[in-house]
């Protein structure tokens, strides 16, 4: 714990001195101290929205003046543990709210999209709109398919596209999200469709990394190029 306190104190050492203007940083010590203060400040601001600068300064001065700390190491550990617990609870609450907001927005989008001409809503809640009729065979769940696709959030944000990579993707139809598995079986080889996939047929409350948030409704434009193509090796990445 002493090492942690010393590291924080070193980075914020400048706080114990009178305020300096940038043009007054003339010595190497001043420049180093100011630089470390800026670096630490930037990092702290990401986690600590409201920092009591005076208390922080007192902590730095305590270390550099070899005074007796106002808190024991055990107390410091308890303070930091409580802070981390609060942060985790705040993050969980924010994630849950985001999931609820996304679910509500997705439901509204699905309700409006379902009223459009040509849009069919299946029993599962998947919405299917044929853009170009195919003339070949429809895949089964056990088949491998080759597709071009573009994936967007309901606000139009594109999160994935085989078009941007200029490379179609091949994958087993039973190895992707349920909305894809169901939706592509409604298509025929050579066709193109627009799929609006509710969250429970996509990535649900967990989302997927930074690209897709919790309970996001997804929109895909998909071209079914081949069913059981000659090359069954999956392409890099995965059609989402």
């Amino acid at each position: 714990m002493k090492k942690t306190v010393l590291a924080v104190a070193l980075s914020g050492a400048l706080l114990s001195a009178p305020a300096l203007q940038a043009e007054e940083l003339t010595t190497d010590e001043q420049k180093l101290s100011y630089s470390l203060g800026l670096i630490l400040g930037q990092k702290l601001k990401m986690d600590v929205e409201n920092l009591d600068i005076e208390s922080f300064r007192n902590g730095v001065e305590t270390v550099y003046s070899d005074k007796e700390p106002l808190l024991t190491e055990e107390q410091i550990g308890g303070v930091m543990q409580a802070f981390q617990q609060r942060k985790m609870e705040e993050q969980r609450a924010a994630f849950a709210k985001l999931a609820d907001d996304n679910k509500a927005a997705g439901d509204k989008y699905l309700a409006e999209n379902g009223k459009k001409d040509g849009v069919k809503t299946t029993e599962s809640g998947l919405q299917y709109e044929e853009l170009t009729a195919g003339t070949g065979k429809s895949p089964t769940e056990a088949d491998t398919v080759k597709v071009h696709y573009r994936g967007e959030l309901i606000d139009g944000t594109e999160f994935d596209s085989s078009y941007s990579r200029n490379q179609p993707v091949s994958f087993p139809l039973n190895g992707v999200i349920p909305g894809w598995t169901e939706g592509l079986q409604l298509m025929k080889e050579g066709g193109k469709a627009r799929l609006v996939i509710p969250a429970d047929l996509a990535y649900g409350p967990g989302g997927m990394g930074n690209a897709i948030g919790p309970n996001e409704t997804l929109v895909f434009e998909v071209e079914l190029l081949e069913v059981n193509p000659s090359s069954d090796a999956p392409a890099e990445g995965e059609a989402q």
Side-chain angles (χ1 to χ4, degrees):
M1 184 59 66
K2 287 185 178 180
K3 290 183 179 178
T4 301
V5 173
L6 286 173
V8 171
L10 175 62
S11 301
L14 186 62
L15 294 177
S16 63
L20 295 173
Q21 299 299 323
E23 58 268 25
E24 295 177 351
L25 301 176
T26 56
T27 69
D28 288 342
E29 182 181 351
Q30 288 174 337
K31 293 175 183 178
L32 175 62
S33 299
Y34 187 77
S35 297
L36 291 172
L38 287 179
I39 292 170
L40 179 64
Q42 291 167 350
K43 292 181 178 179
L44 283 175
K45 195 171 182 180
M46 295 174 63
D47 293 321
V48 185
E49 184 175 352
N50 297 310
L51 182 69
D52 188 319
I53 301 298
E54 184 62 28
S55 296
F56 181 80
R57 181 185 292 112
N58 288 340
V60 173
E61 290 178 345
T62 295
V63 174
Y64 273 82
S65 61
D66 293 323
K67 293 180 180 178
E68 186 68 23
L70 298 179
L71 298 175
T72 65
E73 290 190 10
E74 184 178 356
Q75 289 173 321
I76 292 171
V79 168
M80 297 308 299
Q81 184 176 5
F83 169 73
Q84 292 170 353
Q85 184 63 35
R86 288 198 305 272
K87 291 296 291 184
M88 288 192 300
E89 290 173 357
E90 290 172 3
Q91 290 169 356
R92 281 195 291 265
F95 193 83
K97 183 179 185 305
L98 179 59
D100 290 343
D101 291 347
N102 286 344
K103 180 66 165 60
D107 289 346
K108 181 179 178 181
Y109 185 91
L110 286 160
E112 294 174 353
N113 187 70
K115 299 175 183 176
K116 296 179 180 178
D117 291 341
V119 175
K120 298 178 181 179
T121 302
T122 70
E123 186 176 346
S124 70
L126 172 72
Q127 292 185 346
Y128 175 87
E129 180 182 2
E130 185 175 78
L131 302 178
T132 303
T135 57
K137 60 182 177 179
S138 295
T140 68
E141 185 174 342
D143 287 335
T144 295
V145 295
K146 184 176 183 180
V147 302
H148 252 319
Y149 70 95
R150 178 181 295 106
E152 297 179 345
L153 305 180
I154 59 175
D155 65 1
T157 300
E158 182 177 289
F159 59 84
D160 195 10
S161 172
S162 65
Y163 293 106
S164 65
R165 297 188 292 271
N166 196 30
Q167 182 178 4
V169 177
S170 295
F171 55 87
L173 199 51
N174 60 7
V176 289
I177 57 176
W180 268 73
T181 303
E182 179 184 357
L184 266 72
Q185 292 182 76
L186 302 175
M187 301 178 66
K188 293 184 182 295
E189 199 174 49
K192 184 176 183 179
R194 183 173 185 266
L195 306 178
V196 180
I197 304 178
D200 59 348
L201 298 178
Y203 293 97
M208 186 190 70
N210 295 324
I212 299 173
N215 284 338
E216 291 271 19
T217 293
L218 307 181
V219 181
F220 287 94
E221 284 192 6
V222 186
E223 286 185 80
L224 180 54
L225 304 178
E226 297 178 24
V227 176
N228 288 325
S230 57
S231 175
D232 290 334
E236 290 187 6
E238 176 182 324
Q240 311 297 345

